[in-house]
């Protein structure tokens, strides 16, 4: 996978990407990264790339021509026109499915905006995908571009070791990950759940699955509606309802969670 990033802050992208697992993958040749400083393509050669918005209003707008020149110079050098992802809160919301799809590409260009926005005409000319990373506003596209590059890279062969690729599988089967514990067995009076020390792999697997179901119910109930639930999953969820109001009510379901579960299990 070859990443190209058009940005006013190349050092931000490079310092973020040359660290940890992604840094190792770049050093190992599984990924490549090239940043292009849009400022190097300013019209006047003085580094200015923004101007006032037509129609008035607060803030400045990044001009079309410096971005277009930076883009054209890049595509001439690499000899192809890859997909161009523009990072914007107005875009489609990024998710694991989109990451899997983009990971099939050989090359990706990311365009990071700043200030109040980018002249719409250059977006119409070069952008293939408008993408947001969620419903909140950031100061620029650099962090969102790095978020996307990180999650896409995880699916590129060679980027993760065999051990790493088995980890962090939240969303892989539509449920959130179960809790993890390491030594010591007791920490500040808190015990590791006994089943994890039992050596009974069947019971450990069942407990982890139940914890995934419980976490998903509590934090992301809408994911439960789309998850594939088998008979044992449903039996566990039913047991949460049956416990309600009794002394063994350790999972502390709220009235809302209870209502949601009752409806889910009725289907
Ligand atoms: Cl892609 N850009 C900016 N500036 N803010 C965002 C975003 C993108 N996604 C969520 N918030």
């Amino acid at each position: 996978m070859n990443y190209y990033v058009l940005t006013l802050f190349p050092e931000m992208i490079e310092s973020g990407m040359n660290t940890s697992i992604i840094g190792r993958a770049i050093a190992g040749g599984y990924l490549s990264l090239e940043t292009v400083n849009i400022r190097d393509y300013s019209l006047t050669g003085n580094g200015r790339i923004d101007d006032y918005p037509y129609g008035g209003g607060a803030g400045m707008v990044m001009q079309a021509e410096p971005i277009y020149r930076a883009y054209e110079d890049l595509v001439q050098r690499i000899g192809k026109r890859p997909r161009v992802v523009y990072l914007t809160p107005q875009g489609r919301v990024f998710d694991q499915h989109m990451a899997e799809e983009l990971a099939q590409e050989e090359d990706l260009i990311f365009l990071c905006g700043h200030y109040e926005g980018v002249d719409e005409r250059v977006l119409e000319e070069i952008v293939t995908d408008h993408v947001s990373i969620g419903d909140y506003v950031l100061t620029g596209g650099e962090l969102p571009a790095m978020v996307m590059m990180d999650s896409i890279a995880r699916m590129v062969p060679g980027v993760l070791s065999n051990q790493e690729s088995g980890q962090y599988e939240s969303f892989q089967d539509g449920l959130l990950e179960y809790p993890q514990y390491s030594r010591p067995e007791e920490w500040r009076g808190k015990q590791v759940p006994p089943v994890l020390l039992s050596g009974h792999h069947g019971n450990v697997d069942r407990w982890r699955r139940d914890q995934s179901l419980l976490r998903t119910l509590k934090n992301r109930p809408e994911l439960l509606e789309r998850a594939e639930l088998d008979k044992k999953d449903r039996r566990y969820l039913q047991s949460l309802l049956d416990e309600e109001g009794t002394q063994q009510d350790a999972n502390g379901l709220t009235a809302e969670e209870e209502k949601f579960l009752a409806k889910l299990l009725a289907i």
Side-chain angles (χ1 to χ4, degrees), residues 87-89 131-134 136 138 140 144:
L87 289 311
T88 169
V131 182
S132 164
I133 62 161
Y136 41 82
L138 302 168

Side-chain angles (χ1 to χ4, degrees), residues 55-109:
M60 303 295 275
V61 175
M62 287 174 72
Q63 292 168 288
E65 185 64 14
I67 292 171
Y68 189 70
R69 286 192 196 174
Y71 166 78
E72 273 301 321
D73 195 35
L74 175 64
V75 297
Q76 293 308 319
R77 255 185 303 116
I78 66 181
K80 41 192 163 186
R81 293 186 183 272
R83 284 167 79 168
V84 177
V85 176
Y86 175 53
L87 289 311
T88 169
Q90 276 80 51
R92 243 181 85 196
V93 177
F94 187 57
D95 62 11
Q96 190 65 26
H97 181 80
M98 206 191 296
E100 280 163 27
E101 196 231 320
L102 290 170
Q104 308 308 310
E105 301 288 326
E106 195 64 38
D107 305 88
L108 286 172
I109 300 177

Side-chain angles (χ1 to χ4, degrees), residues 68-196:
Y68 189 70
R69 286 192 196 174
Y71 166 78
E72 273 301 321
D73 195 35
L74 175 64
V75 297
Q76 293 308 319
R77 255 185 303 116
I78 66 181
K80 41 192 163 186
R81 293 186 183 272
R83 284 167 79 168
V84 177
V85 176
Y86 175 53
L87 289 311
T88 169
Q90 276 80 51
R92 243 181 85 196
V93 177
F94 187 57
D95 62 11
Q96 190 65 26
H97 181 80
M98 206 191 296
E100 280 163 27
E101 196 231 320
L102 290 170
Q104 308 308 310
E105 301 288 326
E106 195 64 38
D107 305 88
L108 286 172
I109 300 177
F110 293 89
L111 170 60
C112 304
H114 253 267
Y115 308 105
E116 297 307 302
V118 171
D119 190 306
E120 190 68 19
R121 294 167 295 184
V122 71
L123 301 178
E124 290 171 6
E125 201 63 25
I126 72 174
V127 172
T128 58
D129 302 82
H130 293 67
V131 182
S132 164
I133 62 161
D135 290 337
Y136 41 82
V137 182
L138 302 168
T139 56
E142 283 76 14
L143 288 171
M146 287 194 272
V147 165
M148 288 186 68
M149 289 190 281
D150 187 291
S151 70
I152 293 165
R154 293 182 68 260
M155 274 157 305
V156 172
V159 170
L160 299 186
S161 68
N162 283 340
Q163 202 185 342
E164 286 160 349
S165 61
Q167 279 179 344
Y168 307 117
E169 293 299 282
S170 282
F171 296 111
Q172 225 64 340
D173 56 359
L175 295 178
L176 301 184
E177 193 54 279
Y178 49 81
Q180 298 276 16
Y181 299 84
S182 185
R183 292 200 290 180
E185 255 182 67
E186 185 191 326
W187 180 80
R188 295 195 172 222
K190 289 172 167 297
Q191 296 289 338
V192 171
V195 62
L196 299 179

